Amino acid sequence: MTSSIYIDGKWRPAIDGATREIRSPADGTLVATVSDGKIADALAAISSARTSFDSGLFSSWSWKERSVLLTKIALLLERDIEIIANLESGDTGKRIIESKYDVADVSATFRHFAKLALDHHDRVLDSGLPNVTSKVTYEPIGVCSLIGPWNYPLLQISWKVAPALAAGCSFILKPSELTPSTAIHLIKLIEEAGAPAGVANLVTGSGAAFGDTLTTDPRVDFVSFTGGLPTGKRIIIKAAETVKRVALELGGKNPNIIFADADLDVAIDFAVTAAFLHSGQVCSAGTRLIVERPIHDQVVQEIVRRAKQIRLGGPADLTAETGPLISENHLKKVEEYLAKGISEGAKLLVGGTRCTTEKLSTGWYFPPTVLDDCNTSMYCVQEESFGPILTVEVFDTIDEAIKLGNDTIYGLSGAVWSRDQTKCERVSKELRHGTVWVNDYGPYKPQAEWGGFKASGNGRELGEHGLQEYLEIKHIWVNNSPTRSGWFADKN
């Protein structure tokens, strides 16, 4: 019997016995069969996490002990890199080399929070009084619902699990129903590393089936979600019923601004990568190209030429440079998105039709696509495709470039390209986005916070604040020599 649900230190099937098939988006082959959890399974996981946390068994561990646990997990991830990369590529269809990069980043995330835990200390304050000790302490927030996406399933789950463990929380992990395999393996490694039973709990299945349970149950203290804007809004509304804290990373429509004085060879190369890496299924993808008018033709023509050369294929294709979309349903959404853009007046320059060659016909492949003559009134400029579609806009002045870059409800990331340092400093300061790259696109480090402005979400992951999300702050005031206050007169 399939048993991919992990509750109170035990692997078990779904309570109703239901299962779900996971098929590769590269060719439709069966890669896994997992338990298909429902509300009853989620409730059992919440009970386990609540009991675990309230017992104090793990939350009472010292920061150093939890740091050791995280370091052990990092070592186990490095040991199992081949296994994990194959699981990740099986679920997502991405190239093995990309999955290996992801596992390395996951390990680095655990090491970052292990170090942060060692460096974490309570703050002793100056009370101004000789007989008073005043300090600020940091305590685990409690039981956490951690809900991950399908595009970088292990990496973005690690951004939640690592700080939760570092803080001493207990949690319920819910990976995407499309890509659960690496989350299952991560739980096995957490178990192997020595986390007490009940600290880490996993329920595989559809968010539609039990997502509300994870966000409304009063026994849950905190919800961290990465995914789409409509679901994020729903979580905020549902979580408000019990006034629990929420951290959301909801994607972006990210401007990549190229000035005429930039190193165009480098800027164009990065523009291609920013738009088409992982077939555009990246929350920070640079799918809005905003280019200064004098260089528009040169830049766009070269990007189109490069886009035509990109080789598509599955994990086993060593010549492939990018892979398929995650599902047939997502491919249809990308096709509808493109059709709407063209109907609004965008000009299709390359791509635009799903791949039907014999080699790719069994998977969900869509080629790199470029839409020119775009403006911010268009749906294709304002909304995410989460696919390999690059839109092109033009500008004439710095002010216009900044205005265009900010003309979006989102604010996750963006980039500016120019040899003029003063210009870059101004644009990077005035862009309303959580991460801005200057003469670069895409790098991040676990030591730096990640998150967005506006509709891209609230809260932050990674960095120091990524740990703070999982902590409650308490002020403790100790009067070592108490005397009567004398505020009210004692008339007896």
Side-chain angles (χ1 to χ4, degrees), residues 204-251:
T204 52
S206 169
F210 60 88
D212 283 353
T213 303
L214 296 178
T215 57
T216 61
D217 194 299
R219 296 171 295 173
V220 173
D221 301 298
F222 174 66
V223 179
S224 178
F225 169 78
T226 300
L229 178 58
T231 303
K233 289 180 177 179
R234 181 179 178 86
I235 287 173
I236 291 174
I237 293 169
K238 293 293 183 179
E241 297 174 7
T242 49
V243 201
K244 57 172 57 74
R245 270 174 34 195
V246 173
L248 306 171
E249 203 264 77
L250 305 176

Side-chain angles (χ1 to χ4, degrees), residues 60-73:
S60 64
W61 282 23
S62 68
W63 285 100
K64 182 177 181 180
E65 288 171 319
R66 295 198 293 267
S67 175
V68 170
L69 176 69
L70 291 170
T71 301
K72 286 180 180 178
I73 296 169

